[in-house]
């Protein structure tokens, strides 16, 4: 089914709008260094960056949330990340052009992330995204993605029916949340994408770059 022109596009943050993996991995490895451990290779940490502390601690220490020691590591990691949240984080190439294109076409936009507001509110203005039409963080609603509640809240804040919105994200949970909310979904294959190929997510479209999202807008009916 062809995409219909949206009145707003909602975006995931980590791995979709911004390349946050360098600072996330850096924080994780500073936690390791404080414990006298060698750094975890960046290529092991980058694919799990969208999964936040759970994914990074799993890749770096082999621990799950229910394991002993996980909670202590999570606190140390989050505090370390907060202290250096925007050192090497950058918008992905083409994001600014995409947002300009949307403004030209009077398409609104917002951010829906599983990142806690403690970090989202600190990071977003530092990387030039403070003009988002809405920002919904992982703890804004009682549920986080893949539950549709954060996306429905974003649509409410924009004053739009969910079906008039697209959701763009680089994780399977993003597509699951978007579909559950009744939105059209775009898999951002330029992002981290975890260990599951975007072709299997059943998104309405796959974009290999932010500029390909521009192309999807131009060809939408």
């Amino acid at each position: 089914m062809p995409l219909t022109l949206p009145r707003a596009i909602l975006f995931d943050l980590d791995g979709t709008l911004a390349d946050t993996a360098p600072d996330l991995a850096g924080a994780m490895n500073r936690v390791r260094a404080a414990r006298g451990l060698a750094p975890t290779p960046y290529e092991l940490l980058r694919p799990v960056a969208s999964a936040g502390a759970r994914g990074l601690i799993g890749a770096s220490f082999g621990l799950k949330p229910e394991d002993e020691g996980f909670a202590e590591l999570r606190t140390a990691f989050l505090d370390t990340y907060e202290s250096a949240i925007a050192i090497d984080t950058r918008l992905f190439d083409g994001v600014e052009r995409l947002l300009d294109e949307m403004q030209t076409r009077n398409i609104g936009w917002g951010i829906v992330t599983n990142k806690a507001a403690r970090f989202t509110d600190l990071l977003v203005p530092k990387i030039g995204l403070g003009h988002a039409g809405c920002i919904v963080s992982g703890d804004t609603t009682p549920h986080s993605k893949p539950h549709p509640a954060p996306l429905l809240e974003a649509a409410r804040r924009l004053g739009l029916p969910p079906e008039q919105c697209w959701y763009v994200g680089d994780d399977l949970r993003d597509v699951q949340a978007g579909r559950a909310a009744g939105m059209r979904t775009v898999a951002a294959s330029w992002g981290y994408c975890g260990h599951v190929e975007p072709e299997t997510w059943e998104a309405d479209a796959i974009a290999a770059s932010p500029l390909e999202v521009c192309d999807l807008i131009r060809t939408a009916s």
Side-chain angles (χ1 to χ4, degrees):
M1 182 184 299
L3 290 169
T4 55
L5 192 66
R7 291 182 62 190
I9 300 179
L10 301 169
F11 297 93
D12 176 50
L13 180 58
D14 298 74
T16 301
L17 290 174
D19 188 3
T20 56
D23 286 325
L24 289 163
M28 190 77 266
N29 279 328
R30 283 193 292 279
V31 170
R32 289 183 62 85
R35 287 158 173 73
L37 301 172
T40 299
Y42 180 65
E43 57 269 22
L44 296 181
L45 295 176
R46 182 177 176 84
V48 298
S50 283
R54 174 178 54 82
L56 291 159
I57 292 171
S60 190
F61 286 89
L63 296 179
K64 298 178 181 178
E66 62 271 20
D67 292 337
E68 183 178 356
F70 180 92
E72 178 189 355
L73 284 171
R74 182 179 185 275
T75 297
F77 165 71
L78 294 178
D79 289 345
T80 302
Y81 178 56
E82 185 176 24
S83 70
I85 199 169
I87 306 302
D88 296 309
T89 291
R90 300 289 184 272
L91 298 183
F92 283 103
D93 289 344
V95 164
E96 291 177 308
R97 285 181 58 188
L98 169 57
L99 296 179
D100 287 344
E101 174 89 9
M102 290 168 56
Q103 183 177 15
T104 298
R105 295 175 178 269
N106 198 32
I107 297 172
W109 71 283
I111 297 169
V112 182
T113 175
N114 273 1
K115 215 178 191 73
R118 165 188 173 188
F119 307 105
T120 307
D121 294 346
L122 180 63
L123 176 62
V124 164
K126 289 180 180 291
I127 56 175
L129 296 178
H131 59 301
C134 69
I135 300 173
V136 176
S137 299
D139 49 359
T140 301
T141 70
H143 305 280
S144 58
K145 299 176 296 181
H147 198 281
L151 291 175
L152 295 173
E153 173 63 15
R156 186 193 68 79
R157 293 186 181 194
L158 293 175
L160 294 173
E163 59 269 20
Q164 293 183 3
C165 301
W166 293 1
Y167 188 51
V168 182
D170 71 309
D171 193 275
L172 172 60
R173 293 171 302 171
D174 298 324
V175 172
Q176 292 171 331
R179 293 177 62 192
M183 297 180 183
R184 308 306 294 274
T185 58
V186 178
S189 67
W190 68 83
Y192 308 138
C193 297
H195 300 294
V196 183
E197 293 297 323
E199 290 76 12
T200 69
W201 298 355
E202 299 184 355
D204 293 297
I206 299 175
S209 72
L211 296 184
E212 286 196 10
V213 180
C214 287
D215 293 337
L216 291 172
I217 293 170
R218 293 174 189 140
T219 58
S221 58

